[in-house]
Amino acid sequence: MAGRVEGIFITSGAGRPMEPVTEARALAGSGLAGDRYQAGNGYYSQRPLPGGGRELTLIEVEVLEALARETGIVLAPAETRRNLTTRGLRLNALVGARFTVGDVLCEGVRLCEPCVHLEELTGKAVNAPLVHRGGLRAGILSGGVIHVGDAVAPVDGDATVSRTALGT
């Protein structure tokens, strides 16, 4: 059970367009260097989450493809406001589990549900169709450089599916 990083996105400030990069430095306990949440100036930076979860956000490309197929809404990877787009791995299964992105060790904290702010920025009605499939919030446990094409894989024996995370 492994996937791949298809895209990496960061932005320096709240509401600014996400910029694609080919690699990003992941800083343990902090976020991606140069990203708004690592710098503390993201839209939600002043609203801390219990247990964290703003260090790294991920979404499956398969979800974006399903969104277009099911609703006709085309949401580009950068529009999701997530740091990484992945392919080949169900991210919901990583809530509460440790996983690697290349050489970077992460831990799934909670689902990254869509929000009104996302709809305001994109002008697209994505909240309802992305409930429980809007991605994953993760903490960065050990840093390093993440590259497009890196493997995303659970740490052996640590990928359990959370019934709460899947909305069941």
Side-chain angles (χ1 to χ4, degrees), residues 1-122:
M1 181 164 99
R4 293 262 173 237
V5 173
E6 285 209 350
I8 304 171
F9 304 90
I10 61 173
T11 187
S12 61
R16 293 186 181 157
M18 298 291 284
E19 299 292 333
V21 295
T22 57
E23 65 181 38
R25 177 158 299 284
L27 305 171
S30 182
L32 296 184
D35 189 57
R36 69 222 185 265
Y37 286 105
Q38 188 275 322
N41 60 12
Y43 184 78
Y44 291 106
S45 288
Q46 301 310 308
R47 299 179 203 166
L49 292 169
R54 291 210 172 98
E55 295 170 20
L56 185 66
T57 55
L58 306 88
I59 192 167
E60 301 164 34
V61 171
E62 293 91 343
V63 167
L64 302 179
E65 294 167 346
L67 178 69
R69 197 173 48 252
E70 295 164 5
T71 68
I73 299 171
V74 176
L75 192 64
E79 287 181 295
T80 68
R81 313 291 298 166
R82 308 300 185 251
N83 298 122
L84 304 181
T85 53
T86 65
R87 182 178 295 278
L89 180 65
R90 292 276 302 139
L91 296 174
N92 286 15
L94 297 177
V95 172
R98 290 184 178 201
F99 63 97
T100 56
V101 180
D103 294 329
V104 175
L105 180 62
C106 303
E107 185 170 40
V109 175
R110 67 177 43 84
L111 294 184
C112 191
E113 297 290 8
C115 64
V116 172
H117 184 59
L118 179 62
E119 285 193 342
E120 290 170 348
L121 289 174
T122 64

